[in-house]
Amino acid sequence: MEGHKEPLWLKVEGSHCSLSEMDDFDLTRALEKPRQLKIERKRSFDERSMSELSTGYARQDSILEMAHSPGSRSMVDTPLSVRNSFEPHPMVAEAWEALRRSMVFFRGQPVGTIAAYDHASEEVLNYDQVFVRDFVPSALAFLMNGEPDIVKNFLLKTLQLQGWEKRVDRFKLGEGVMPASFKVLHDPVRKTDTIVADFGESAIGRVAPVDSGFWWIILLRAYTKSTGDLTLSETPECQRGMRLILSLCLSEGFDTFPTLLCADGCSMVDRRMGVYGYPIEIQALFFMALRCALSMLKPDEEGREFIERIVKRLHALSFHMRSYFWLDFQQLNDIYRYKTEEYSHTAVNKFNVMPDSIPDWVFDFMPLRGGYFVGNVSPARMDFRWFSLGNCVSILSSLATPDQSMAIMDLLEHRWEELVGEMPLKICYPCIESHEWRIVTGCDPKNTRWSYHNGGSWPVLLWTLTAACIKTGRPQIARRAIDLIESRLHRDCWPEYYDGKQGRYVGKQARKYQTWSIAGYLVAKMMLEDPSHIGMISLEEDKQMKPVIKRSASWTC
Ligand code: GLC
């Protein structure tokens, strides 16, 4: 710490109008129902430009007005979203009640929400635990409602857990690994609370959650941005926690790509689903976490080196993703005509992808206008599947260029039947079946075609979709998705996922009262009512980072 002196890079710049602030204004105008909007200027801190940092001129960050007055907490029982809506949907109040029921307390303090509050289910498994990824929409709902304490407690509690020694059998895990989930054990006799955590050593498949650390950093920024409370992220503990996570993914090895190599099952898709390698979900979260960390790391003795490494990685990662993961009509046509077995720097088909490996469905699926980041790219392998979370996070983090973001939304509109159907939103498209299912999933009966992680529809994804819609100025798409959710979710008791090609059936093994289905709905509603909320989960494009992708059919048509 530098005593009480305010670090240079955090000084207030009163007259400065941040990019995100200007953007909020445009978003508001883009919406059709202005009378429902509660326009508040959020206290925020800007993201430092990567290029500025790389040249050593860190811009002084600006702090805008406070998001929530301290007094707002006295009204916690009536959610702001209910009070401010013009005509609140009856589901909103029910959802708040259900969300509050799922809260978990440690020594009297709220520290998270359990994954599902489903008493009817025979098997609890680990659904009575607080999952890091599942808590994100809950946290955003609480932040948007002016209740940051549970989020702060969660961030501190998980930070403490990160400090535990983690082992799988005789193998010691990296220091920075964050838990997938934790559980509070109450002893009614001794009146004590203890915590057990799972870092992958109990998880099905024994995979460490790569996404947890990234979500933790993203949430720390959301908390800071929403409350204007810089003191949490500035603590030596939080700074160290970030550095530990970063050293896990910025370490040098045998990599030839800036993307992060992962095992199957290390994120939301936590079972074998052929997402090993360089899955889009992890790459997008990695990019977003790097940018969030960049805005919070102090350039002190320990932080400076990380800042430099992040800046370099971001440049390489965005180039790689925008060039090699991007697929649109033109790009597909180019791959279709690829030569193979090229050697040397002049190779066009750098990863030696065989055109014969392009699945038939993608030729019909690809519209003339539109595009997306494919599921995975590695030597001789392109997974052409569309994954919703990775694509939405690419928009939110500005990993996607503005043109690419528009193209992702164009594709969603064109392929609404396939990607949304009757229940937003497919986790991936299409499903895998028959022989491929046997080989890729290892005959997983939970991941049969159009079910669960294999083309199932997950209501939680509504919030990422809504955020992406608002960021790209297309709130009407989000409204359409919310209408679908409102026609069913409550009646079906907030299931975890839906099955079928259209997402028409409540999932075979879906839990009811799944917390992130509930919280995801609330977050989507609140963001649509007050689009300025999106600032806590979205990062503006770094204007200095030149887009590398060549223009192609999806944005010239
Ligand atoms: C399932 C999901 C995972 C989620 C967990 C708790 O395992 O695949 O993404 O975190 O349930 O809801």
Side-chain angles (χ1 to χ4, degrees), residues 115 127 131 133-134 268 270 452-453 458 496 514 516:
Y127 282 86
F131 278 75
R133 74 176 73 86
D134 291 43
M268 176 182 180
D270 55 0
Y452 201 45
H453 298 142
W458 291 65
E496 180 186 14
Q514 182 79 20
W516 66 0

Side-chain angles (χ1 to χ4, degrees), residues 114-116 126-127 129 131-134 180-181 204 211 267-271 281 427 446 452-453 458 496 511 514-516:
I114 53 168
N126 48 1
Y127 282 86
Q129 305 206 4
F131 278 75
V132 171
R133 74 176 73 86
D134 291 43
S181 61
I204 297 169
D211 64 340
S267 61
M268 176 182 180
V269 180
D270 55 0
R271 297 168 82 87
E281 176 181 338
I427 192 167
K446 205 167 175 183
Y452 201 45
H453 298 142
W458 291 65
E496 180 186 14
R511 303 290 137 147
Q514 182 79 20
T515 304
W516 66 0

Side-chain angles (χ1 to χ4, degrees), residues 351-398:
F351 306 108
N352 204 31
V353 173
M354 309 293 162
D356 271 355
S357 71
I358 306 175
D360 286 343
W361 65 265
V362 78
F363 291 108
D364 299 327
F365 178 73
M366 185 61 79
L368 277 179
R369 244 179 110 94
Y372 64 104
F373 289 108
V374 296
N376 224 305
V377 177
S378 59
R381 173 177 174 231
M382 257 180 117
D383 180 348
F384 289 88
R385 279 177 295 174
W386 171 92
F387 287 84
S388 55
L389 186 55
N391 276 282
C392 288
V393 173
S394 300
I395 292 177
L396 294 178
S397 62
S398 292

